[in-house]
Structures are given as C-alpha cells and as structure tokens.
C-alpha cells in the first residue's frame, strides 16, 4: 500500500482559492486572454481536488470505480492546466489576444489524444492499474509527465523567441515560472508520493496573478482602465506586429488644485464619467490611466482619433455634471502616430514622461514638435541623425521664393535646412534646430548652410535670375562666437560674392535677449554691407526703441500674425498701423505664411512689401528653384532689381 503526502495538495487548494478570489475581485477585458486565464485557474484548481480523494481511496483500498474515476480526472485536469497556461502565454503576444485556429488545434491535439488514452485506461491499463485493490503504474505513465514538460518548454521557447512582443519583466517572470514547474514535474515523476507538482503550479499562479495588473491583463477596479504597464504592453505588442496605430495623450490641468477646490469625491465622480467616455471612444482594453491625471487612448483600426481630435478636445472641455452641478475642467491633449513620431517604446515613454509632468499656463492641444524637442530619447536619436546627415549628405538646403506684393516679382528667397533620416523620417527644423543648439551642433549646421548658399549665389549669378539676395537664418549661439564675423567674411571672400547678396535673419526673441557680443556682431555685419532681417515679428516682445535703433532693413511678420489678422476685421487696422510704422523708419515688411488668395489680397492692400508662403511656392530644391524662377519671370537687368 502506497502512502501519499497530500499536504502539498491541500496547500495548493488553499492557494488556488486565494488566486480565484484575487482574480474575480478585479475587472477584466473579456477577451481570449481573460478566458484562457480563467480556464487555467479552473483546471489547476480541480487537479488537487481530484488528486487528494484519489490518493486517500487508494491508500484505504477503496473499490476500483471511484479510484479509476478520480485518477482519470486528475490526469486530464493536470494536463489541461498546463495546456491552458501555454494558451494564455500565446494570447499575451497576439495583437488582439486571439490565437489562430490552426495553432489552437495543434496545441489541443496532444491533449485530446492523451485524454482519450486516459479515459480508455480502465480497459487498457496503459497509464495505471488498480486490480484487487492494488495500485500499479502502466507502461505509458511517463506520457503525461512528458506532455506536461513539453507544453512548459513550448511556453518557454515561445516567450523567448517572441521577446519583443512582451515587456522584459514579463518575459523573465514567465521563464522563471516555467523552469520551476518543469523541475517540480520532474521531481514528482521520480518521487511520486510527494505530490509537489500542484503546489508549485499554485504558487506560480499566485505570483503571476499578483503581477497581472502590472502587465495590463487586469483593469483597475474603479476606472475600468489598465495602468501604465498595460499601456506599455499594448504598445510593445503593436510595434512587434508592425501594426500602424495612433496614441492620444490626455491630461487634466491643475489636478491637485481642482481636487482641493471640488473635493476628492467630486473629482472621482467626474473622472468616472470621463473614463467612461474614453472607454466608449477607444474600446475596452485600449484606454489607460497612466497617472492620477493622465490618460492614454490607443487606436489601431483607423485614424479616428486624428480625424476627431478637435471634437474630442471640445467634448472634454464641456461641463461635467455631478449632483446637478456643472464642473468645467481644462485639458492638455496631444496626438502621436506610430512610425511617424516614434517607432519604439523608449521614445514613446519619453513623450509620456514630458507630457505628464510639463508645466504650462494655458491648456491646449500640445504640438508634436514640442514633445519631440523635450524627449531625451528622441533627442539622442536626432543628434545621431544630424551627425550622420552632415557626413552622408542627408542634410539639404531648399529655397522658398519671396515675391513683391505689388507686382509678384520674385526678388529673393529664404534658404531652409531639411533633414531626412532612414529611421526617423523627415525631421522638422522646429525639432532639430533647438536640439542642435543644445548639443553644440548648431555651429557646424550654420557653417554648412552658409557655404551652401554662398556656393549657390556664386554658381548661378543670382542677379541674372532676378534675385537681389538670399536670406538665411542665424542662431543666437552663432552670433555670440568670437570668430563669427571672421568666418562669414572668409566664406564670402572664398566664393567671391558681394555681402549685399546675403541677408541674415535673426528671430525677434533672440534680438531682445541677446548679450552685448550679439549686438556688436550684428552691428559689424551691417557695417560690412550684409543685410539684416528681424524674423518671426509678432511672436516676441520687441520694443519700439530697439526697432528704431537697430540695423534691420527687413521685418518679417510671423505667419500666425498674418493669418490671424487677415481673418479678423477688428485686428486689420493694427496690421496696417504696424506696416506703416515700420516703413516710416525705412524697413521693408515681409508677410510670412501666406497660403490663400484672400491673405495675399489682404497683404497687398495693407501696403506690405513682400510675400512668402505656400500660396506662391513651397520650399524647392536648388534645381527646382532655378527652374521655378526661369519659368515665372524674365531675367531683369541688374539695375531693375530692387535693392533694399
């Protein structure tokens, strides 16, 4: 008569009850992952429940039928629990949590065969026999242990080979659980009376369920949303499957302040309404609450979030009614697209970190450019792209034509820098210029543009194309270098061009906050004959005294100023006044960002001198720019070119 130590099985039953209580006490997305895990708990729980009475009956030499029945169920449920563990692991890595049908069949087939063999064992005795109340193992006894081990090894290999589909921590956790269960399975095969397999499986399941919320399988019991770890898991899986998707960040402005004013209970009630709206918008399992005041929505079926961004923002800003009282909240919101703004979790988490901690006075739809500039991971990638671009020619200079408002003559152009990277795609100057300034690369970029423009002027004899000069931007950092003027003079001399053929643009913000060296260098540039333009006028705080006493020949109105004033009748008189005032002190006015005929007519009628914008042309490559000039105007004589 064999004696079995059922203490491990009893402990396993207690642990499984705890596991079941923990799992059912949480909210879940009702998908394949949920059902796989539920079946895993169910069969794992049944295994020791059948094993304990089967062992008791065998020890006490009970009749054959109940022994055969309980032992058969034990063998089947034991194998089922391992099978559903494998299915659960696979469902974690599939895009929608759904395992392909063929793969399911291949997984379930060995289980079905062994289950049939176990059921017919009462007649064959292949697995065990119980005759004359004597227990004996059969020749196929190792089969059940072998298949259990095979399923576990399959799970180990699957999570190892598809490591990019899950987080690193989740992969390590599963690998540890698998190794422990394989060892327990082998140990019980050698020492069958110890019954340690169910105990090891129950402890593993308890550890796993305590981490499910961390890995996004379990939803928050209040909001019905997964936390940041669930968001990471979703993103990693989407990137692994190379599925296009979009992400929407939403953050409540001044969360702590409104909690103090409205009260925690009221804020929680408002948030429940907002969370319900998010779940309806993105679907269960695609809405996440990553911090107390920050939410994330994921959509991978269409571009619904992008197309309805303004509608979503307006809906959030409406009043939220709680106990017949309307409460208004302000929100920050930002939309990003995979493979356009990021292509890995590290970059996206950098955006999320900035978004959830940024300090802004005004709630708004946050531009992606701002997010990119503030992302340390993205910044390092852009730095590498700029280094590579200066080596292999990824940087290129393009030219945007500028014409006279009165007779549409193209008399100048602005040189702009463009960067395209194989990994990051096209990188906006609004992004890479601030990064270049922080990293020190701006000096090399400035020298690159200067040399390219000087080469263009010398090679094409721009006067013959009807151009008076070419504009190019200067950064504050360039202007405060001691050898700044010397470098420009040497480059101009090398290409044998006139200083009057170059116009250096300085932003309004830089001009008002510059140190003495900055101002001195600009004065020297003017004395040497170079033209100076004040760029982005209307976005900074330039004062009248500085405008009058500066050497700026050209004032460029920022596109925001142009577009807003042209669309608002009450602001047009101010626009006319600005132009008249600047022209009275000898400055020419360039209106940037002109995109429509109405805007062009407004600038022309207001007395503006020059027009720059997509209405006439986008920035063009050097070759296309030359062809554009030849196609749009006859080459005037040099004396006909307006010299500013």
């Amino acid at each position: 008569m064999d004696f079995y130590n059922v203490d491990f099985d009893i402990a396993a039953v207690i642990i499984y009850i705890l596991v079941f209580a923990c799992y059912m006490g949480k909210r879940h997305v009702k998908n394949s992952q949920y059902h796989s895990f539920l079946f895993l708990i169910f069969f794992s729980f049944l295994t020791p429940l059948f094993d304990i009475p089967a062992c008791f009956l065998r020890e006490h030499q009970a009749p054959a039928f109940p022994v055969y029945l309980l032992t058969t169920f034990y063998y089947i449920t034991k194998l089922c629990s391992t099978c559903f563990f494998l299915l659960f692991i696979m469902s974690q890595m599939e895009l929608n949590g759904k395992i392909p049908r063929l793969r399911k069949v291949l997984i379930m087939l060995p289980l079905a065969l062994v289950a049939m063999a176990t059921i017919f064992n009462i007649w064959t005795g292949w697995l065990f026999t119980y005759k004359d109340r004597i227990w004996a193992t059969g020749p196929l006894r190792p089969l059940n242990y072998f298949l259990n081990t095979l399923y576990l090894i399959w799970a180990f290999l699957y999570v190892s080979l598809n490591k990019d589909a899950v987080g690193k921590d989740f992969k390590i956790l599963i690998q540890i659980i698998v190794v422990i269960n394989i060892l327990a399975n082998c140990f019980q095969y050698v020492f069958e009376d110890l019954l340690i397999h169910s105990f090891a499986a129950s402890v593993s399941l308890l550890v796993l369920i305590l981490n499910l919320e961390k890995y996004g399988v379990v939803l928050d019991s209040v909001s019905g949303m997964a936390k940041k770890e669930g968001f990471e898991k979703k993103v990693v899986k989407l990137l692994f499957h190379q599925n296009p998707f979009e992400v929407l960040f939403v953050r409540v402005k001044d969360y702590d302040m409104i909690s103090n004013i409205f009260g925690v209970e009221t804020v929680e009630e408002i948030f429940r309404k907002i969370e319900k709206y998010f779940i309806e918008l993105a679907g269960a399992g695609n809405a996440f609450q990553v911090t107390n005041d920050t939410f994330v929505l994921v959509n991978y079926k269409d571009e619904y979030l992008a197309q309805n961004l303004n509608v979503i923002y307006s809906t959030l800003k409406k009043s939220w009614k709680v106990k017949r009282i309307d409460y208004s909240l302000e929100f920050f919101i930002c939309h990003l697209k995979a493979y356009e703004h990021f292509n890995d979790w590290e970059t996206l988490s950098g955006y999320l970190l900035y978004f959830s901690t940024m300090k802004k006075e005004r709630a708004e739809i946050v531009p992606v450019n701002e997010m990119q500039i503030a992302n340390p991971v993205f910044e390092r990638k852009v730095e590498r792209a700029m280094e590579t671009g200066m080596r292999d020619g990824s940087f290129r200079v393009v030219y945007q034509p500028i014409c006279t408002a009165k007779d549409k003559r193209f008399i100048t152009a602005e040189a702009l820098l463009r960067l395209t990277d194989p990994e990051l795609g096209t990188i906006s100057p609004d992004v890479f210029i601030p990064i270049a300034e922080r990293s020190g690369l701006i000096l090399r970029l400035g020298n690159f543009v200067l040399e390219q423009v000087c080469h263009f002027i010398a090679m094409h004899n721009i006067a013959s194309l009807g151009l008076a000069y070419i504009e190019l931007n200067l950064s504050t950092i360039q202007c405060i270098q001691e050898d700044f003027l010397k470098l420009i003079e040497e480059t101009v001399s090398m290409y044998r061009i006139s200083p009057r053929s170059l116009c250096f643009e300085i932003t309004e913000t830089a001009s008002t906050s510059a140190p003495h060296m900055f101002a001195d260098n600009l004065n020297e540039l003017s004395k040497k004959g170079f033209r100076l333009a004040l760029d982005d006028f209307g976005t900074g705080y330039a004062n009248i005294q500085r405008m009058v006493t500066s050497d700026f020949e050209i004032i460029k109105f920022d596109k925001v100023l142009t577009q807003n004033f042209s669309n608002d009748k009450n602001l047009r008189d101010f626009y006319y006044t600005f132009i008249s005032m600047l022209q009275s002190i000898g400055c020419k006015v360039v209106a940037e960002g002109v995109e429509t005929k109405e805007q062009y007519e407004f600038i022309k009628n207001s007395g503006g001198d020059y027009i720059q914008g997509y209405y006439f042309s986008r920035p063009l490559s050097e070759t296309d720019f030359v062809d554009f000039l030849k196609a749009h105007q006859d080459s005037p004589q040099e004396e006909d070119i307006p010299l500013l």
Side-chain angles (χ1 to χ4, degrees):
M1 180 175 63
D2 295 324
F3 292 94
Y4 294 91
N5 183 357
V6 297
D7 292 345
F8 285 114
D9 272 351
I10 294 172
V13 170
I14 296 172
I15 294 174
Y16 281 132
I17 293 173
L18 181 61
V19 167
F20 187 76
C22 288
Y23 193 66
M24 299 311 293
K26 295 288 186 179
R27 297 176 63 180
H28 310 268
V29 180
K30 301 299 191 296
N31 55 14
S32 297
Q33 301 171 18
Y34 167 77
H35 293 110
S36 297
F37 199 78
L38 204 57
F39 279 118
L40 171 58
I41 296 175
F42 176 72
F43 285 111
S44 299
F45 182 53
L46 288 180
T47 300
L49 286 182
F50 288 127
D51 195 28
I52 293 171
C55 292
F56 179 81
L57 292 176
R58 289 200 302 267
E59 290 178 0
H60 291 81
Q61 298 180 336
F65 179 74
V67 172
Y68 270 103
L69 186 64
L70 290 170
T71 306
T72 298
F73 283 139
Y74 163 71
Y75 274 107
I76 293 174
T77 55
K78 178 183 176 183
L79 193 57
C80 282
S81 64
T82 314
C83 177
F84 277 101
F85 174 75
L86 174 61
L87 290 172
F88 170 72
I89 297 304
M90 288 185 170
S91 70
Q92 291 296 299
M93 302 183 191
E94 296 300 321
L95 183 59
N96 297 308
K98 295 181 179 179
I99 303 171
R101 183 173 298 177
L102 179 60
R103 193 183 306 167
K104 278 186 180 180
V105 172
L106 292 175
I107 293 171
M108 301 294 286
L109 185 60
L111 172 63
L113 293 175
V114 173
M116 292 297 294
T118 306
I119 293 171
F120 286 104
N121 177 76
I122 190 171
W123 297 284
T124 63
W126 288 342
L127 297 174
F128 62 88
T129 58
Y130 187 70
K131 293 182 179 180
D132 300 326
R133 302 191 178 186
I134 297 175
W135 171 266
T137 57
L140 294 184
R141 170 180 173 262
L143 182 61
N144 191 281
Y145 289 93
F146 171 76
L147 279 178
N148 269 285
T149 304
L150 181 63
Y151 279 136
L152 290 168
I153 293 174
W154 194 345
F156 184 92
L157 293 176
Y158 197 85
V159 77
S160 300
L161 295 175
N162 296 278
K163 60 183 179 179
D164 292 334
V166 292
K168 180 180 178 181
D169 292 344
F170 186 77
K171 180 194 73 172
I172 294 173
L173 176 65
I174 296 302
Q175 289 174 333
I176 292 174
I177 287 175
V178 168
V179 170
I180 290 174
N181 279 270
I182 289 175
L183 293 175
N185 196 48
C186 295
F187 194 83
Q188 184 166 325
Y189 176 73
V190 178
F191 305 100
E192 190 174 8
D193 59 315
L194 289 179
L195 306 180
I196 197 173
H197 176 267
S198 289
F199 178 74
S202 66
V203 173
S204 300
L205 207 54
L206 180 62
V207 172
L208 184 58
I209 201 168
L210 292 175
N211 285 276
L212 285 183
E213 185 170 352
K214 179 179 179 182
Y215 299 118
V217 180
V218 178
L219 305 180
D220 183 81
S221 58
V222 177
S223 69
M225 295 181 173
K227 300 297 184 181
K228 181 181 178 181
E229 292 79 8
F231 172 52
E232 177 182 357
K233 181 175 178 294
K234 171 70 74 173
V235 169
V236 169
K237 186 185 294 185
L238 289 167
L239 292 171
F240 174 77
H241 290 280
Q242 298 182 334
N243 199 75
F245 64 100
E246 54 180 345
V247 174
L248 188 68
F249 292 161
V250 180
R251 178 182 162 199
V252 179
K253 186 176 182 292
D254 299 326
Y255 171 79
D256 292 334
M257 183 183 73
I258 64 174
S259 295
N260 292 331
I261 295 174
F262 298 160
V264 175
E265 291 185 1
T266 299
V267 173
E268 287 182 352
E269 182 64 27
I270 297 173
F271 271 38
R272 276 192 286 270
K273 293 178 179 292
I274 294 173
E275 289 154 359
K276 182 180 179 182
Y277 171 65
F278 286 154
I279 293 173
E280 291 174 351
L281 197 64
N286 295 321
F288 307 87
Q289 186 174 8
V290 295
T291 67
N292 286 339
D293 61 353
T294 305
F295 303 87
V296 180
L297 307 183
V298 176
N299 177 54
Y300 52 90
K301 296 180 180 178
D302 48 38
E303 293 190 0
Y304 177 82
L305 298 178
Q307 295 169 359
N308 295 276
L309 185 62
N310 291 324
V311 175
I312 295 170
Y313 186 59
S314 299
T315 302
L316 290 172
K317 291 178 66 178
K318 74 174 185 179
S319 297
W320 297 90
K321 188 180 292 293
V322 176
K323 297 178 181 178
R324 299 183 180 179
I325 300 177
D326 290 331
Y327 294 92
S328 296
L329 303 179
E330 291 188 297
F331 295 85
F332 301 114
I333 185 170
C334 182
H335 178 268
L336 301 103
K337 293 181 66 175
Y339 308 110
E340 180 176 333
H341 304 129
F342 65 91
N343 54 16
D344 56 54
W345 165 251
E346 188 181 18
T347 303
L348 182 59
S349 64
Y351 290 136
L352 182 58
L353 176 62
Y354 169 73
F355 184 82
S356 60
T357 57
M358 66 183 181
K359 299 184 183 301
K360 281 179 169 289
E361 293 297 325
R362 184 168 57 90
E364 62 178 353
I365 297 178
V366 181
V368 177
N369 286 350
E370 179 181 331
M371 302 279 287
Q372 291 175 322
I373 294 170
N375 187 339
V377 176
F378 185 81
E379 181 169 332
R380 289 193 294 271
K381 290 184 177 183
V382 172
E383 287 180 19
R384 290 194 294 268
M386 288 190 289
E387 291 278 5
T388 303
M390 285 184 282
R391 289 196 305 268
D392 65 9
S394 300
F395 270 116
R396 59 192 180 92
V397 176
V398 296
Y399 299 86
Q400 185 170 32
I402 300 174
C403 71
T404 58
K406 188 175 182 180
D407 53 13
K408 299 182 182 179
R409 297 178 63 209
F410 292 95
I411 55 89
T412 182
E414 181 178 358
L416 302 166
L417 195 56
R418 295 292 183 262
L419 173 62
T420 302
D421 180 73
E423 178 186 355
L424 301 177
T426 301
I427 307 172
S428 168
D430 292 338
V431 173
F432 70 73
I433 293 297
I435 293 175
E437 290 178 339
R438 289 197 295 272
S439 65
L441 291 172
I442 191 65
L443 298 177
R444 292 170 59 187
L445 290 184
N447 296 341
F448 172 78
V449 176
L450 175 63
E451 189 160 337
Q452 292 289 312
V453 170
C454 289
H455 178 268
F456 172 81
I457 292 172
M459 183 175 68
H460 291 286
N461 184 17
I462 61 172
S464 66
L465 296 174
L467 301 179
Y469 57 91
I470 298 292
E471 300 177 0
L472 65 159
N473 291 278
L474 284 180
S475 72
T476 305
I477 294 176
Q478 285 178 276
C479 294
I480 61 176
Q481 302 301 309
E482 292 184 0
D483 60 348
F484 164 73
L485 188 59
K486 179 182 178 183
L487 176 64
I488 291 178
E489 288 185 307
E490 288 178 349
T491 305
V492 168
S493 176
M494 180 175 65
Y495 285 97
R496 299 180 180 180
I497 62 176
S498 167
R500 296 295 291 170
S501 62
L502 289 175
C503 177
F504 293 104
E505 296 184 11
I506 297 91
T507 63
E508 181 181 342
T509 303
S511 72
T512 58
S513 59
H516 292 298
M517 184 177 292
F518 181 100
D520 292 343
N521 278 334
L522 292 187
N523 289 334
E524 287 299 315
L525 278 176
S526 180
K527 290 178 182 178
K528 296 291 184 180
F530 295 99
R531 304 172 193 268
L532 296 179
L534 180 65
D535 196 16
D536 297 337
F537 178 78
T539 61
Y541 303 96
N543 58 60
I544 299 299
Q545 180 182 358
R546 187 169 185 82
M547 298 288 294
V548 172
T549 59
S550 70
D551 295 311
F552 295 119
E553 301 178 32
I554 303 159
I555 307 298
K556 304 190 72 173
F557 279 24
D558 185 80
K559 63 180 181 181
V560 174
L561 191 68
T562 299
Q563 294 170 358
N564 287 346
F565 275 39
S566 63
N567 293 327
D568 192 323
K569 293 181 180 180
N570 295 326
L571 296 175
R572 291 186 180 186
D573 289 342
F574 290 98
Y575 200 91
Y576 299 150
T577 303
F578 278 142
I579 292 177
S580 177
M581 177 191 70
L582 293 171
Q583 290 174 338
S584 69
I585 59 175
C587 294
K588 299 292 184 180
V589 174
V590 179
E592 296 180 300
V594 177
E595 299 177 356
T596 66
K597 182 179 180 180
E598 291 74 20
Q599 291 172 356
Y600 163 69
E601 293 293 341
F602 165 68
I603 300 300
K604 179 181 178 181
N605 295 333
S606 65
D609 298 292
Y610 303 110
I611 302 289
Q612 179 179 353
Y614 286 180
Y615 179 65
F616 289 105
S617 175
R618 292 176 178 270
L620 304 170
S621 67
E622 181 176 320
T623 302
D624 291 342
F625 176 51
V626 172
D627 292 341
F628 176 89
L629 292 175
K630 290 179 178 179
H632 282 78
Q633 61 186 42
D634 296 326
S635 299
Q637 299 298 317
E638 185 170 351
E639 60 268 21
D640 294 332
I641 300 171
L643 298 179
L644 304 183

